[in-house]
Amino acid sequence: MQSDRVGFRRPAITAAAVFTAWTIFGILSTVHFFFGYEGATDFSSFRRLADNVIVFYWGWALLTPIVILVARRLAARGMRRVQDWMLLLVAGVATMLVHGLIHTRATWLTGIDKVGSTGPHTLIDYSQRHGGGDLATFAVLVGGYLLIEANRRARARELATAEIGAKLARADLELLRWHLHPHFLFNALNTVSTLVLKGANDDAARAIALISRYLRAGMAQRADSMVPVGEDIATVQRYVEIEMLRFGDSLKIEVDAEPEALEALIPGSILQPLVENAIAHGSVREPGSKPIRIRAMLESERLLLSISNPTNGTRDRRPDIDTSRETPDSARFGLRYVRERLKQFYGDDASFTLAENDGETIASVDVPLTPTGNRA
């Protein structure tokens, strides 16, 4: 009931505002015509003039909502074709004729013009006397609405652009946060320090070069970008090379990918969090352990990615891993990052699972070849 009252009150207030505005404009016009008309010297002549002029503009008060409706329809069409401008001209002429009919009939019925439709205020005579002014008024109303609508749409686009920019900025910061993760930087720099203390200057220089290349690539990548699977795997391999400086040759990585799958596009930095999770919770750092395996293949217009690693036999062994209850630090952040990025690009048309099977932890990603989500 309350919403019905509000819905009724708004059009009533708008109608009253339009009527009041045209009445005020009519009074001001009467004053202008009165002082510019030599035969109008007293109040009675002012009143007769005011009656005629105000009724004239009350007719425009009745027609204003219709003119605005026409302008709204034309604005929706875009005004890009000659037919739209011809339609605007026809609407203007029709509005002028309707206004003339309203004015001549209203002045005759109210007694303002006792001659009526057979006298000088016939529709043809009205068109000759007021047609130009009515068409100009129609043009002003339509132009004013189109200008206001254009400003509103421009403002809406600015707000939308600013909102998208803010979202991208937050996403970029999150991506940068991932690449500059404190644990990774601390461990990488600690590796460099250890190599320097051992006198392995060549290895230390190589470590610094790998870290530099990795960070440079990470900071250059936008959160809304997509990269070929092969490029993302190359980034992962650079990351593993850095980690190998810490864990030695026991840490290995193998890639089994179809050539077509390597060319498919995926959101940047999707694979690395999964590899880091494998290093953190698997047994790949133990001597003689199986390597981390990255697989990529196409199946029925979908891209299937998986990262498998041997399960740690002394910790984190769970028959059914719940990805919503990861351990703190990089694992929790990394897996959440993967889920959110897949949601951002593919909506509900993507799946991410993490499970154990035959002594291996397998992270699987299944996405369509074409993104369907909202990257903003």
Side-chain angles (χ1 to χ4, degrees):
M1 183 64 68
Q2 185 68 24
S3 61
D4 293 339
R5 292 179 181 176
V6 174
F8 175 80
R9 187 181 306 167
R10 185 175 300 172
I13 293 175
T14 302
V18 170
F19 183 84
T20 302
W22 278 116
T23 300
I24 294 174
F25 190 79
I27 294 173
L28 295 176
S29 298
T30 300
V31 173
H32 172 73
F33 294 145
F34 179 81
F35 287 105
Y37 182 58
E38 296 180 357
T41 57
D42 54 20
F43 180 77
S44 60
S45 60
F46 176 84
R47 181 176 178 180
R48 287 194 301 273
L49 181 61
D51 289 342
N52 197 303
V53 173
I54 291 177
V55 169
F56 180 90
Y57 286 110
W58 278 352
W60 274 114
L62 293 174
L63 291 174
T64 295
I66 300 175
V67 174
I68 297 302
L69 180 61
V70 171
R72 181 179 300 170
R73 295 289 178 85
L74 292 174
R77 293 166 65 97
M79 299 297 291
R80 297 184 180 91
R81 301 178 300 174
V82 176
Q83 293 89 330
D84 295 331
W85 291 100
M86 293 299 297
L87 181 61
L88 179 63
L89 178 60
V90 171
V93 172
T95 302
M96 179 266 293
L97 294 175
V98 172
H99 183 250
L101 182 62
I102 293 174
H103 179 66
T104 53
R105 289 297 181 181
T107 53
W108 180 67
L109 290 174
T110 57
I112 296 174
D113 178 12
K114 295 181 173 58
V115 178
S117 61
T118 60
H121 293 290
T122 61
L123 193 57
I124 296 177
D125 182 68
Y126 174 89
S127 300
Q128 293 175 346
R129 296 180 59 191
H130 301 289
D134 275 359
L135 289 176
T137 303
F138 176 85
V140 169
L141 288 174
V142 173
Y145 175 82
L146 293 178
L147 180 61
I148 293 173
E149 181 66 11
N151 289 334
R152 185 192 68 80
R153 291 184 178 182
R155 180 58 178 168
R157 284 194 297 268
E158 291 176 359
L159 292 175
T161 301
E163 183 178 359
I164 291 174
K167 288 182 178 180
L168 287 178
R170 289 194 296 269
D172 283 340
L173 288 175
E174 185 176 48
L175 185 60
L176 184 61
R177 176 190 171 193
W178 169 253
H179 284 290
L180 297 179
H181 198 279
H183 293 282
F184 165 75
L185 277 179
F186 174 80
N187 292 328
L189 294 177
N190 186 56
T191 298
V192 173
S193 175
T194 301
L195 292 173
V196 171
L197 292 176
K198 290 181 177 180
N201 295 332
D202 292 341
D203 289 340
R206 179 168 173 267
I208 293 174
L210 289 172
I211 296 171
S212 176
R213 287 170 54 195
Y214 175 82
L215 294 178
R216 188 183 301 114
M219 288 186 289
Q221 187 180 94
R222 289 184 57 85
D224 60 341
S225 64
M226 298 189 73
V227 300
V229 172
E231 182 177 327
D232 209 40
I233 290 177
T235 300
V236 169
Q237 289 173 326
R238 286 195 294 267
Y239 168 76
V240 172
E241 284 186 79
I242 297 171
E243 295 293 274
M244 287 175 64
L245 296 175
R246 294 172 53 204
F247 302 120
D249 295 336
S250 60
L251 179 58
K252 299 181 181 67
I253 185 169
E254 292 183 358
V255 178
D256 179 14
E258 298 176 352
E260 297 82 2
L262 291 175
E263 298 177 359
L265 298 179
I266 57 173
S269 298
I270 282 292
L271 298 178
Q272 181 199 316
L274 304 179
V275 172
E276 181 173 0
N277 185 71
I279 296 174
H281 298 289
S283 60
V284 293
R285 294 174 291 180
E286 300 174 2
S289 61
K290 295 181 180 179
I292 297 174
R293 289 188 174 88
I294 300 178
R295 294 182 175 88
M297 59 181 296
L298 300 182
E299 183 177 305
S300 301
E301 297 300 316
R302 297 187 70 84
L303 174 64
L304 307 180
L305 301 170
S306 67
I307 296 178
S308 61
N309 62 279
T311 302
N312 191 311
T314 58
R315 60 185 179 91
D316 295 339
R317 178 181 292 277
R318 290 165 290 178
D320 185 14
I321 298 179
D322 180 2
T323 59
S324 65
R325 296 186 294 114
E326 298 301 328
T327 55
D329 301 328
S330 60
R332 178 187 296 273
F333 175 79
L335 298 181
R336 178 175 64 85
Y337 172 83
V338 171
R339 286 192 291 268
E340 291 181 359
R341 292 277 281 166
L342 293 176
K343 182 71 173 180
Q344 180 187 40
F345 278 76
Y346 302 99
D348 295 329
D349 195 17
S351 67
F352 168 56
T353 59
L354 186 64
E356 290 185 7
N357 184 28
D358 295 333
E360 286 189 327
T361 300
I362 304 174
S364 301
V365 175
D366 181 349
V367 297
L369 292 179
T370 303
T372 57
N374 181 8
R375 304 186 197 182

